[in-house]
Amino acid sequence: ANVDQVAIVASLKNPVIPLSLITRFAMISKIAGITPKIIFTKFDLVDDESYKDTLASLDKLGYDYYMVK
Protein backbone atom coordinates (compact mmCIF):
# COMPACT_ATOMS: atom_id res chain seq x y z
CA ALA A 1 0.00 0.00 0.00
CA ASN A 2 1.25 3.47 -0.87
CA VAL A 3 1.03 6.42 1.46
CA ASP A 4 -1.18 9.13 -0.01
CA GLN A 5 -2.06 11.15 3.12
CA VAL A 6 -0.05 12.39 6.08
CA ALA A 7 -1.48 13.75 9.33
CA ILE A 8 0.96 15.35 11.75
CA VAL A 9 -0.68 15.46 15.17
CA ALA A 10 0.93 17.70 17.79
CA SER A 11 -0.09 18.92 21.22
CA LEU A 12 -0.13 22.59 22.19
CA LYS A 13 0.29 21.67 25.85
CA ASN A 14 1.79 18.75 27.79
CA PRO A 15 3.88 17.89 25.89
CA VAL A 16 4.54 20.84 23.62
CA ILE A 17 6.00 19.58 20.35
CA PRO A 18 8.81 21.80 18.98
CA LEU A 19 8.00 23.67 15.77
CA SER A 20 11.26 22.39 14.27
CA LEU A 21 10.03 18.80 14.56
CA ILE A 22 6.64 19.64 13.03
CA THR A 23 8.23 21.44 10.08
CA ARG A 24 10.71 18.59 9.60
CA PHE A 25 7.87 16.08 9.27
CA ALA A 26 5.99 18.48 6.99
CA MET A 27 9.00 18.97 4.70
CA ILE A 28 9.57 15.22 4.45
CA SER A 29 5.93 14.83 3.44
CA LYS A 30 6.25 17.54 0.79
CA ILE A 31 9.40 15.92 -0.60
CA ALA A 32 7.41 12.69 -0.93
CA GLY A 33 4.76 14.61 -2.87
CA ILE A 34 2.16 14.57 -0.10
CA THR A 35 0.60 17.71 1.38
CA PRO A 36 0.51 17.16 5.14
CA LYS A 37 -2.41 17.94 7.40
CA ILE A 38 -1.12 19.41 10.66
CA ILE A 39 -3.49 18.91 13.57
CA PHE A 40 -2.98 20.62 16.92
CA THR A 41 -4.65 19.09 19.97
CA LYS A 42 -5.40 20.46 23.44
CA PHE A 43 -6.24 23.88 21.99
CA ASP A 44 -8.75 24.44 24.79
CA LEU A 45 -6.10 23.94 27.51
CA VAL A 46 -3.83 26.80 26.40
CA ASP A 47 -4.45 29.91 28.49
CA ASP A 48 -2.11 32.36 26.81
CA GLU A 49 -1.48 33.10 23.16
CA SER A 50 2.03 31.64 23.03
CA TYR A 51 0.99 29.31 20.22
CA LYS A 52 0.28 32.28 17.91
CA ASP A 53 3.97 32.45 16.88
CA THR A 54 3.89 28.79 15.88
CA LEU A 55 0.78 29.30 13.77
CA ALA A 56 2.25 32.42 12.15
CA SER A 57 5.37 30.45 11.22
CA LEU A 58 3.27 27.71 9.64
CA ASP A 59 1.29 30.34 7.72
CA LYS A 60 4.54 31.79 6.34
CA LEU A 61 5.66 28.33 5.24
CA GLY A 62 2.30 27.72 3.54
CA TYR A 63 1.13 24.79 5.65
CA ASP A 64 -2.52 24.26 6.56
CA TYR A 65 -3.35 23.37 10.14
CA TYR A 66 -6.39 22.44 12.18
CA MET A 67 -7.16 22.99 15.87
CA VAL A 68 -9.07 20.44 17.96
CA LYS A 69 -9.93 20.08 21.62
Side-chain angles (χ1 to χ4, degrees), residues 9-62:
V9 181
S11 172
L12 288 173
K13 186 171 186 172
N14 291 341
V16 175
I17 308 299
L19 178 60
S20 60
L21 187 60
I22 296 168
T23 54
R24 184 180 304 164
F25 290 149
M27 285 190 295
I28 291 169
S29 299
K30 287 285 221 180
I31 290 169
I34 303 167
T35 301
K37 294 172 179 56
I38 302 172
I39 303 163
F40 289 103
T41 63
K42 300 183 183 179
F43 174 70
D44 57 331
L45 299 179
V46 180
D47 295 331
D48 58 10
E49 295 188 1
S50 60
Y51 62 90
K52 297 279 186 181
D53 292 336
T54 298
L55 301 183
S57 296
L58 291 173
D59 283 335
K60 286 180 187 176
L61 293 171

